[in-house]
Amino acid sequence: MEKWPYVFCFLAVALVSGLAMYAAVCAADVTPPEADATSAAADALDRTVLPIPEPKPVPITELDARNAKAPPRFEIKAPSKAPNVLIVLTDDQGYGDLSCHGNPVLRTPALDRLHRESVHLTDFHAAPMCTPTRSQLMSGQDALRNGATSVTAGRALLRRGLPTMADTFAAQGYATGLFGKWHLGDSFPYRPMERGFQEAKYFLGWGLSSAPEFDNDYFDGRYRDRGVVRRFPGYCADFWFQEAMRWMGERQRRREPFFCYLPTNTPHGPAWVAEKYSAPYKKPGLPAAFFGMMANLDENFGKLEAFLQQTGLRENTLLIYMSDNGGTGGVPVFNSGMRGRKTQLYEGGHRVPCFVRWPAGGLRPPGDVRAPAELQDLLPTLIDLCGLKPPPNADFDGASLAGLL
């Protein structure tokens, strides 16, 4: 206790000194001696209260659209036939985990073909980890507004009352289906069925090794079928793709436009995959199992492409392929020259691939679009491209990219 008088004395001296310095500054003539008449006149003008003129409209260009308060309005012609929409979202795949992006080891031929056929948003950004990305994609709002800001601790719940991407499509006659990783709430009223998805096959938590799934497995594991626990045969990623294709085929037979959301839980760890996929990468310094999971994803995407071709769905299906955050297992091998990885605020933590293809949609020729873009832009973009009506209470943070595409 003997030190406290000295502490109080020190604080009192500091306070008095600060007040004295503030008074001296206020009383002093702070204009430099060498200031000329122009500076003095400008200083006098600064002290004059002048009327503030109305700001003039400033044209919105591609690069400043990201900073605009409201999204630019483009003249988008509504499609004559409602397009199907398919979003494939991979988990923990980095920008550099594609051979079309320059990876010197990994081979992804099916995804490379998609790259050649798509418009690429080359400066596209997600959140640095799972849940915020998913919440921003579904709501068009920043995570700090929509409430789902982290992966656990009650912070992975998308705020009630927000219309989701699935709500928007369902309200206008689309069938809606989810196959894979939800991660925006495990219990009522946050499950996918309460957020606009009519068909929902998913698992709990952030992955098959998270707390609610700690004894689950990537092979022959359990999943939720609209909340009912069931077992899936084989490998998890294979199952998500197979179920999505089965469901899309059924929608086609019923002549229903659909919104299919296919968020895989691979190549997120644990790095479990069949030996045939990892074997080609079992070399010193390579993440064989991680690359094996990417090889499995590429194979499944090839099967998805064949399905779209054979069923005649390819031409009028608006397909978006992307990842949920920056790289993980593949970063030590190739990170496209970027610094950082998942959970980090450096570019490598949130810049992700984003390919957009719609053969019958009249998009620009395949190639790069370098304007900055982010997850929150996709919902307003899809509303414009598909000719949908925004929800009555929609309040997006993103801007439509329809004019760029």
Side-chain angles (χ1 to χ4, degrees):
M1 294 298 294
E2 294 180 357
K3 64 181 180 181
W4 288 111
Y6 298 99
V7 173
F8 290 135
C9 182
F10 173 79
L11 292 174
V13 170
L15 178 61
V16 171
S17 300
L19 290 173
M21 291 176 64
Y22 177 76
V25 169
C26 292
D29 180 7
V30 295
T31 304
E34 64 273 14
D36 57 17
T38 302
S39 299
D43 185 60
L45 184 61
D46 287 342
R47 292 186 171 91
T48 304
V49 178
L50 297 176
I52 300 175
E54 288 294 323
K56 296 180 180 180
V58 179
I60 297 175
T61 65
E62 287 185 3
L63 293 180
D64 66 15
R66 300 298 317 120
N67 297 320
K69 184 176 182 181
R73 306 309 305 166
F74 297 106
E75 293 297 329
I76 303 298
K77 185 179 179 181
S80 57
K81 181 181 178 183
N84 305 305
V85 176
L86 169 59
I87 295 180
V88 180
L89 178 69
T90 61
D91 196 1
D92 280 8
Q93 174 195 349
Y95 191 90
D97 296 327
L98 291 163
S99 48
C100 58
H101 280 178
N103 193 295
V105 178
L106 182 62
R107 291 293 169 260
T108 51
L111 292 169
D112 292 353
R113 179 183 175 184
L114 174 66
H115 181 267
R116 292 193 298 270
E117 299 172 343
S118 300
V119 178
H120 332 123
L121 299 173
T122 59
D123 197 5
F124 187 79
H125 299 265
M129 60 181 174
C130 307
T131 289
T133 283
R134 295 159 205 278
S135 71
Q136 292 174 165
L137 173 64
M138 286 292 107
S139 69
Q141 283 192 0
D142 299 341
L144 288 175
R145 290 186 64 208
N146 69 44
T149 59
S150 188
V151 298
T152 57
R155 293 170 57 198
L157 304 175
L158 183 62
R159 184 160 54 82
R160 295 177 65 180
L162 281 181
T164 67
M165 185 178 288
D167 289 325
T168 303
F169 279 102
Q172 291 167 77
Y174 275 71
T176 56
L178 161 74
F179 306 90
K181 179 174 176 176
W182 172 236
H183 203 189
L184 290 174
D186 295 339
S187 57
F188 179 88
Y190 300 101
R191 301 173 302 173
M193 300 85 74
E194 288 89 47
R195 306 315 298 263
F197 286 102
Q198 299 148 4
E199 181 86 349
K201 289 179 167 59
Y202 62 102
F203 54 87
L204 304 182
W206 52 258
L208 297 190
S209 59
S210 62
E213 299 281 10
F214 69 94
D215 60 341
N216 210 348
D217 199 294
Y218 279 27
F219 297 90
D220 302 315
R222 64 175 179 266
Y223 71 99
R224 263 68 179 172
D225 184 352
R226 289 188 53 83
V228 178
V229 179
R230 302 188 191 280
R231 285 277 170 188
F232 62 81
Y235 189 59
C236 55
D238 298 345
F239 178 72
W240 307 133
F241 275 87
Q242 290 164 8
E243 286 299 298
M245 289 186 285
R246 178 200 59 76
W247 181 80
M248 287 187 286
E250 181 63 25
R251 304 285 72 72
Q252 185 198 34
R253 287 187 288 275
R254 296 187 181 186
R255 298 184 178 180
E256 298 172 347
F258 60 76
F259 164 53
C260 181
Y261 180 36
L262 179 50
T264 70
N265 59 299
T266 57
H268 192 295
W272 296 338
V273 71
E275 175 72 15
K276 68 176 182 176
Y277 298 108
S278 59
Y281 301 105
K282 287 192 172 180
K283 299 174 183 178
L286 294 184
F290 178 85
F291 280 176
M293 288 194 289
M294 278 303 307
N296 170 267
L297 276 174
D298 187 76
E299 180 182 274
N300 273 301
F301 194 85
K303 294 176 181 178
L304 175 64
E305 283 282 81
F307 162 80
L308 294 174
Q309 287 272 16
Q310 293 163 8
T311 57
L313 287 170
R314 180 182 180 276
E315 291 303 302
N316 201 35
T317 295
L318 200 171
L319 169 64
I320 299 176
Y321 178 90
M322 59 188 184
S323 179
D324 68 339
N325 48 243
T328 53
V331 167
V333 176
F334 183 72
N335 201 27
S336 296
M338 296 185 293
R339 179 182 182 181
R341 54 186 295 146
K342 176 183 177 179
T343 74
Q344 296 181 345
L345 300 182
Y346 298 113
E347 187 178 26
H350 48 81
R351 183 180 169 202
V352 298
C354 184
F355 307 156
V356 183
R357 188 187 71 190
W358 183 15
L363 301 185
R364 63 191 297 165
D368 294 345
V369 171
R370 295 182 171 85
E374 59 181 348
L375 258 299
Q376 296 90 308
D377 298 332
L378 291 184
L379 179 50
T381 299
L382 290 174
I383 288 174
D384 277 356
L385 291 177
C386 299
L388 306 179
K389 295 180 181 178
N393 57 338
D395 184 16
F396 302 134
D397 291 317
S400 174
L401 306 173
L404 299 180
L405 295 172

